[in-house]
Amino acid sequence: MNLSNIVIVLDHPDESRNIGAACRAMANNDISELRIVGKKEQYDIEHIHVLAIHAGEIFDKAKFYDSITQATSDCSICAGTTRRRGKKRGKLLLPEEFADMANSISGEDAAGCKIAVVFGNERTGLTDEQLDQCNLGVTIPSSENFGSLNLSHAVQIICYHLFRKNLEAKKGTYKGYTPLTLERIDSTVKSITDDMQKIGFFKMPGRSDMENFWRSILSRASLSEGEAKYLEKTFSKMAGLASKNNKD
């Protein structure tokens, strides 16, 4: 994934503050190229910078166009975002599906292709005519009772999926931690029950039930390696302190 080849296009956004918030969402996810269909003089730059916080430079460097077609003429993919389905809207990709596609097209360096993601006006979204200027559609599932997303929130969700895909491409499957295997959990269970036996918590006939108890609890907890080691050290220290107290 080459995030420098991702282009965010806002089509006639109504609210200046939403543009600023969208810039901040882009910066959160290492995406920096903004294009706007509309006139720059129609927007309050001060309001934009207030909401952009330290991402105002994204707006300052933004380019303005008269149509989606003009704004995306150098892009290989132009994805229009919409929450409404219909015969004219074709198959809509989920954000994670779109991120997979973008990953294969954007490349790993400047040689990749540019990919545009188009967001419509806050009140109307993208019309059928505007979507006709795109070559695929992306939808963000939301509540049937209140389905409309704030513009900057929609930008954040799409950019986040692209950012996560970039992390996966760099680091493999990106996870906060890898849950332990059952084999590793059995090692922790043995360590715990060994220490419990040392302090006389149970007699040998009761060990099997205790092992089953800990195996059930720890497997459902999806422990990390660090957590397992902490548990082992805790019980080991308890057994050591009990042994010392008995000697005293």
Side-chain angles (χ1 to χ4, degrees):
M1 172 73 76
N2 183 2
L3 293 176
S4 65
N5 278 334
I6 303 299
V7 178
I8 299 300
V9 181
L10 306 182
D11 190 300
H12 292 96
D14 269 343
E15 177 56 60
S16 297
R17 289 173 293 187
N18 277 336
I19 299 175
C23 289
R24 185 176 182 180
M26 291 170 62
N28 287 154
N29 297 285
D30 288 340
I31 295 172
S32 59
E33 187 166 355
L34 175 65
R35 301 179 185 181
I36 297 175
V37 179
K39 305 295 183 182
K40 186 173 184 177
E41 57 269 21
Q42 294 176 335
Y43 301 106
D44 187 321
I45 296 179
E46 182 178 352
H47 282 175
I48 291 172
H49 277 263
V50 167
L51 268 293
I53 310 295
H54 299 296
E57 185 179 16
I58 290 178
F59 174 78
D60 295 338
K61 293 182 177 180
K63 296 179 181 179
F64 289 77
Y65 299 85
D66 293 327
S67 69
I68 293 173
T69 299
Q70 289 181 7
T72 61
S73 62
D74 61 336
C75 300
S76 297
I77 293 292
C78 175
T81 57
T82 178
R83 69 180 180 87
R84 298 190 298 272
R85 297 179 180 273
K87 291 182 179 179
K88 293 184 178 181
R89 293 177 180 251
K91 177 184 177 182
L92 301 178
L93 299 178
L94 295 172
E96 55 269 32
E97 294 171 332
F98 172 67
D100 286 338
M101 174 184 289
N103 184 48
S104 64
I105 296 174
S106 65
E108 297 180 0
D109 50 40
C113 301
K114 283 190 174 293
I115 298 171
V117 191
V118 185
F119 298 84
N121 176 277
E122 296 94 320
R123 291 179 294 103
T124 62
L126 292 176
T127 65
D128 287 341
E129 290 74 19
Q130 289 167 329
L131 278 172
D132 283 343
Q133 297 177 67
C134 306
N135 53 15
L136 65 88
V138 180
T139 189
I140 301 171
S142 57
S143 170
E144 292 184 3
N145 298 319
F146 195 76
S148 179
L149 292 172
N150 177 276
L151 173 60
S152 64
H153 294 177
V155 172
Q156 178 70 264
I157 291 170
I158 295 296
C159 288
Y160 172 73
H161 278 280
L162 294 167
F163 180 75
R164 279 295 305 272
K165 180 56 63 175
N166 182 55
L167 287 179
E168 289 180 10
K170 287 182 176 179
K171 301 180 180 181
T173 302
Y174 187 82
K175 297 179 180 178
Y177 72 97
T178 301
L180 298 182
T181 63
L182 293 176
E183 181 180 21
R184 177 64 182 85
I185 287 174
D186 282 342
S187 175
T188 297
V189 169
K190 183 180 185 305
S191 176
I192 290 174
T193 50
D194 279 349
D195 289 326
M196 293 178 74
Q197 188 170 336
K198 289 176 184 177
I199 62 176
F201 189 86
F202 52 77
K203 297 184 182 299
M204 279 301 296
R207 177 162 178 154
S208 178
D209 288 341
M210 184 60 65
E211 287 178 338
N212 288 336
F213 168 79
W214 280 108
R215 185 178 294 109
S216 176
I217 291 293
L218 298 183
S219 62
R220 293 203 304 271
S222 297
L223 292 181
S224 68
E225 179 64 29
E227 290 169 332
K229 287 181 178 179
Y230 191 84
L231 272 175
E232 292 167 358
K233 289 179 181 178
T234 299
F235 278 86
S236 178
K237 187 172 183 178
M238 290 167 58
L241 288 172
S243 176
K244 180 180 179 181
N245 290 336
N246 287 335
K247 289 179 181 178
D248 292 341

